[in-house]
Amino acid sequence: MPREPKPHAPESQDPDDHLIVSKNLNGRYPWRDPAKQVPYGIVLIIAARLKWSPADVLVRLGALGYADVQRSKGPLPDAVEPDDAALIMSVESTYGLTPVDVDKTVPLRQIIESAARAARSPADVARRMGAYGFQVGTGVRPLPESADPRDVALIRTSRRGGWLDWDDEVSAQHVLGVAQELACSPRVAAERLTELGLRLPYTPEPADERILRIRDTASHRWIGRWTAAPVGHVLAVARDTGRSREDILARLGELGCQPPDGNVPDSPEADDLVILSENLDGRAPWLWNNTVVGLQVRHILRAARITGRTPASVRERLTALGHWLHENAGLPETVDEADIALLDTVTRSYLDDVHLESVLRSASLTGRSPADVAARLTALGYRLPDEVEYPEIRGVLR
């Protein structure tokens, strides 16, 4: 079959005419095919570029042989603000100059991404698009008047290009996921999503801030999408708010959180919060349930020292709360400060071998002899596979 002739440049030497008929609106090849419809958005962008009225653009297109031009259902705007031209460009296009289709409802993504790129509010962008004849679905409430570049991440459901659209229902897990990505409060994320016209399976409440905040430091402050709430956190929220354990657990479930990582007791004991806190002060950060290596003997000994309980009693209580001690661990019957100091220097778990260099390091840090360190670590359940004779000479503390 013979090839169809390629569209050619207009005979006119007017640079404005060359811009009008160029597909990329740059006055150069490739040229727009007169046999194909000119999108309505292209008319508006030309009007903005040349500072003409859209009506004048239509007249000139007709004179240049472009009779088939897409139109909006309403009247043509008198003018197009140059700053608005970017709003008309489709954010979904990765190649070429593609405007938003005036015959379809403008996607929520178009409004949000355009607003973020132009540092304008979603409400402002939606108004401008509507004024130019585009169909904008604003959902059940007006879009927010405040600009927030984080809105793009809020409505993105996947890195591969999934997006929420008008009146979609957002899962509770999505709220937790985007809040974690943006390092913001899940309640703030939930409220902004509702302002953008999206539906949630729950109503955000101010009290959610306390339920979802697991620590006061900036890093990992909020419970995440795949994070199970520590038992200590649930007990602390109950203590601080006066709400029942059942109420807090139910609300965590509504907010999309994973079940607690242990057993939340019906009747907490007086020192539960102490032994469940990493710093043994009854406050966050809380002890996480390590399902790989279990509890640290050091934590049990320190908890026993602070609470006055025996190591066995602390272990029993932590076990009841859902934690566990590795079967290789050797738990002393009484608390010895020397054991705590020694375990502070050990970076290996009960799944790891403690080699010579680790023994020598601990000996240097504690002022004990390598032989003494090796013997005590063996008694505490650690594996020392090196077949060496450890010296009895003590290191010098510096």
Side-chain angles (χ1 to χ4, degrees), residues 90-299:
S90 174
V91 298
E92 298 178 11
S93 175
T94 57
Y95 179 77
L97 200 67
T98 306
V100 178
D101 189 347
V102 74
D103 289 335
K104 298 179 181 178
T105 300
V106 179
L108 177 61
R109 176 192 174 189
Q110 177 71 34
I111 301 295
I112 299 306
E113 282 206 49
S114 296
R117 292 175 182 179
R120 298 164 72 167
S121 73
D124 181 32
V125 172
R127 278 192 296 268
R128 299 309 300 157
M129 295 290 286
Y132 291 130
F134 292 93
Q135 306 171 49
V136 180
T138 57
V140 297
R141 64 176 67 195
L143 288 169
E145 296 286 350
S146 59
D148 193 335
R150 298 180 300 179
D151 289 343
V152 176
L154 286 177
I155 67 167
R156 184 172 53 215
T157 59
S158 74
R159 294 291 183 181
R160 297 183 177 180
W163 300 89
L164 295 167
D165 207 353
W166 303 107
D167 203 37
D168 279 350
E169 178 164 307
V170 183
S171 71
Q173 288 77 20
H174 175 80
V175 177
L176 293 178
V178 294
Q180 188 171 18
E181 178 184 348
L182 297 171
C184 72
S185 159
R187 184 175 73 89
V188 169
E191 290 177 343
R192 185 67 176 185
L193 282 163
T194 59
E195 291 173 3
L196 294 174
L198 299 161
R199 294 178 292 115
L200 295 178
Y202 62 86
T203 301
E205 300 173 358
D208 294 340
E209 292 275 343
R210 179 65 189 93
I211 291 178
L212 292 171
R213 191 181 69 245
I214 54 176
R215 61 174 62 195
D216 293 326
T217 56
S219 61
H220 308 296
R221 178 177 296 178
W222 308 99
I223 293 179
R225 184 173 185 175
W226 308 115
T227 305
V231 173
H233 170 74
V234 178
L235 297 180
V237 173
R239 176 197 63 189
D240 296 345
T241 63
R243 296 170 70 167
S244 69
R245 157 189 174 275
E246 293 76 13
D247 184 25
I248 294 167
L249 291 175
R251 187 57 177 171
L252 283 169
E254 290 173 350
L255 296 172
C257 302
Q258 300 295 312
D261 67 356
N263 306 318
V264 181
D266 294 325
S267 301
E269 295 185 1
D271 50 14
D272 279 350
L273 287 174
V274 172
I275 66 176
L276 284 170
S277 56
E278 288 186 8
N279 298 322
L280 298 166
D281 55 4
R283 298 194 298 268
W286 302 106
L287 195 65
W288 295 93
N289 192 339
N290 192 322
T291 59
V292 178
V293 298
L295 287 164
Q296 294 181 348
V297 170
R298 175 184 60 186
H299 181 83

